[in-house]
Amino acid sequence: MKGRPAAILALAQGEPTSAAARAAGVSTRTVDRWCTDPEFAADVQQARADMLTAAVGQLAAGAVEAVATLRRVMADPDAKDHARVQAARELLAALLPLREHVEIEQRLAAIEAAEEDRR
């Protein structure tokens, strides 16, 4: 991949403009100029958002298996006590931030719905 799409991908991945220029086959000045274009900047942001969405999806897919593994270790009478305690600790440590996240999403949805009703 060459040109603007390669630069967009490199920048979205956090690469410096010099690396984006190499990937695109252009000069650093060209990438710097592209970065001043609002459409190009929006494309970089969209590419980054797409990558994050994909990463979150992969984490979510693995989360179910991870929780099942922790639960198996925690419930395994043959597992060493420290392994069972650590599994229980990991489950509890993950629970609170997840609950807070869900609550924040629900509150935000309620605020957005109320705002939409006012319009």
Side-chain angles (χ1 to χ4, degrees):
M1 175 184 348
K2 288 283 186 191
R4 286 173 73 107
I8 288 167
L9 180 60
L11 292 170
Q13 292 173 335
E15 296 292 336
T17 55
S18 58
R22 279 192 303 280
V26 298
S27 71
T28 302
R29 280 183 50 179
T30 298
V31 174
D32 287 337
R33 191 176 69 250
W34 288 346
C35 287
T36 64
D37 174 9
E39 187 175 320
F40 181 85
D43 289 344
V44 171
Q45 290 301 321
Q46 185 60 54
R48 185 173 292 134
D50 292 346
M51 284 185 241
L52 287 172
T53 298
V56 168
Q58 291 293 318
L59 286 171
V64 173
E65 186 177 340
V67 169
T69 299
L70 289 171
R71 292 186 65 201
R72 262 194 317 278
V73 171
M74 190 176 68
D76 183 357
D78 295 330
K80 296 189 185 235
D81 287 345
H82 74 275
R84 293 173 56 210
V85 168
Q86 186 61 34
R89 190 175 287 142
E90 292 296 328
L91 279 171
L92 291 172
L95 181 62
L96 184 59
L98 183 59
R99 191 181 111 225
E100 289 173 349
H101 179 77
V102 169
E103 285 179 3
I104 289 170
E105 278 192 354
Q106 290 171 341
R107 288 178 179 177
L108 182 58
I111 291 168
E112 289 173 342
E115 184 66 27
E116 192 64 33
D117 288 345
R118 280 187 238 169
R119 292 181 188 168

